[in-house]
């Protein structure tokens, strides 16, 4: 609807004739959808704190990708902040006593997604629209199968839940548009560390609203990450 209102559909015809661009956006769409499905599963499985760990690690992936692939330079204090955050993530991994597969998967998928959107040849709105178009056949097929099997939770939900689920669409899309635009305007390393804001909010939600366990050892790791962000900001 927004693209039609702005009369910005001309790009689609040009993109269809570029298989490499289509493939790149298909990969980014699959990364994003996989990341979001895992995040929603974690939230519904009382693993919000574990999901927040993934988004705390994601900026480190962005910083690493920015340095290795895009040849972005970091100042000494910025390196200090990165190593502090990395140490905190390793500490959190160690005290969990097991491989944090939720966090690692979320971090890897979203970090690579950010890189692909930064080097993409389309703007934020057009890119998100193309990702949605490419995913639509797969999603519609899955929905059709769940309806035929009687497993579609949306149809069985209350009207209030249905409305909230529909509203989660724009609540998801608007931040993604802003993220894609930011990825093209600022260094990937800076974008990565700014992403600490979101997992901090997730962590606070999990601990104070949904009463998920958060002991002193975990708190230590998160405090170090917050200090690292302050050092980077300075």
């Amino acid at each position: 609807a927004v693209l039609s209102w702005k009369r910005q559909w001309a790009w689609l015809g040009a993109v269809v004739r570029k298989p490499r661009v289509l493939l790149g956006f298909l990969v980014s769409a699959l990364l994003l959808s996989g990341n979001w499905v895992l995040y929603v599963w974690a939230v519904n499985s009382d693993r919000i704190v574990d999901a927040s760990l993934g988004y705390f690690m994601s900026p480190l992936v962005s910083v690493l990708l920015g340095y290795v692939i895009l040849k972005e330079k970091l100042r000494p204090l910025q390196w200090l902040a990165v190593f502090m955050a990395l140490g905190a993530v390793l500490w959190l991994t160690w005290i969990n006593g097991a491989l944090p597969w939720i966090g690692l998967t979320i971090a890897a998928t979203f970090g690579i997604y950010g890189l692909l959107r930064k080097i993409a040849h389309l703007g934020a709105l057009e890119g998100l629209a193309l990702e949605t178009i490419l995913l639509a056949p797969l999603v519609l097929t899955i929905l059709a199968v769940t309806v035929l099997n009687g497993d579609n939770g949306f149809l069985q939900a209350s009207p209030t839940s249905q409305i909230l689920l529909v509203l989660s669409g724009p609540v998801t899309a608007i931040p993604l548009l802003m993220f894609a635009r930011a990825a093209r305007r600022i260094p990937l390393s800076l974008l990565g560390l700014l992403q600490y804001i979101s997992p901090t909010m997730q962590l606070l939600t999990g601990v104070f609203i949904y009463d998920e366990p958060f002991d002193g050892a975990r708190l230590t790791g998160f405090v170090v990450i917050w200090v690292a962000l302050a050092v980077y900001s300075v």
Side-chain angles (χ1 to χ4, degrees):
V2 174
L3 285 169
S4 298
W5 173 64
K6 299 180 70 174
R7 298 181 180 179
Q8 291 185 3
W9 282 109
W11 56 271
L12 187 58
V15 167
V16 170
R17 295 189 293 270
K18 298 178 179 178
R20 291 186 61 182
V21 175
L22 287 175
L23 179 61
F25 274 95
L26 177 61
V27 173
S28 69
L30 292 173
L31 286 169
L32 180 61
S33 59
N35 176 279
W36 195 247
V37 168
L38 179 57
Y39 172 70
V40 172
W41 175 86
V43 168
N44 286 312
S45 302
D46 299 322
R47 306 288 291 273
I48 298 176
V49 173
D50 290 340
S52 74
L53 174 61
Y55 287 111
F56 272 120
M57 291 190 291
S58 177
L60 295 175
V61 175
S62 294
V63 170
L64 181 63
L65 292 172
Y67 176 76
V68 173
I69 297 179
L70 302 181
K71 309 303 180 183
E72 296 178 355
K73 303 299 182 182
L74 295 178
R75 299 169 183 162
L77 271 181
Q78 292 173 324
W79 275 116
L80 174 62
V82 169
F83 283 119
M84 288 177 64
L86 177 60
V89 168
L90 293 175
W91 165 257
L92 291 170
T93 301
W94 181 71
I95 64 173
N96 283 334
L99 185 68
W101 66 272
I102 295 176
L104 289 173
T105 305
I106 286 177
T109 52
F110 199 71
I112 299 173
Y113 173 76
L115 171 66
L116 292 177
R117 287 314 308 264
K118 181 168 182 64
I119 63 178
H121 297 287
L122 289 177
L125 181 61
E126 294 85 352
L128 184 59
L130 181 58
E131 289 171 344
T132 306
I133 292 171
L134 292 173
L135 277 180
L138 174 63
V139 174
L140 291 174
T141 300
I142 294 173
L143 289 176
V145 171
T146 59
V147 170
L148 292 175
N149 292 337
D151 299 327
N152 191 289
F154 181 82
L155 298 178
Q156 302 168 8
S158 66
T160 300
S161 294
Q162 290 179 335
I163 292 173
L164 290 174
L165 285 169
V166 170
L167 291 177
S168 70
V171 168
T172 302
I174 292 173
L176 286 176
L177 285 171
M178 293 182 173
F179 174 82
R181 177 162 296 215
R184 297 172 62 86
R185 294 171 64 91
I186 63 178
L188 195 62
S189 53
L190 176 59
L191 179 71
L193 287 171
L194 286 176
Q195 289 176 52
Y196 281 126
I197 298 171
S198 177
T200 300
M201 296 173 65
Q202 294 170 20
L203 171 68
L204 296 176
T205 300
V207 173
F208 292 108
I209 297 180
Y210 293 103
D211 298 320
E212 292 189 13
F214 190 66
D215 53 24
R218 274 190 167 189
L219 177 61
T220 300
F222 279 90
V223 168
V224 173
I225 287 177
W226 295 327
V227 173
L229 178 58
V231 171
Y232 188 91
S233 300
V234 171

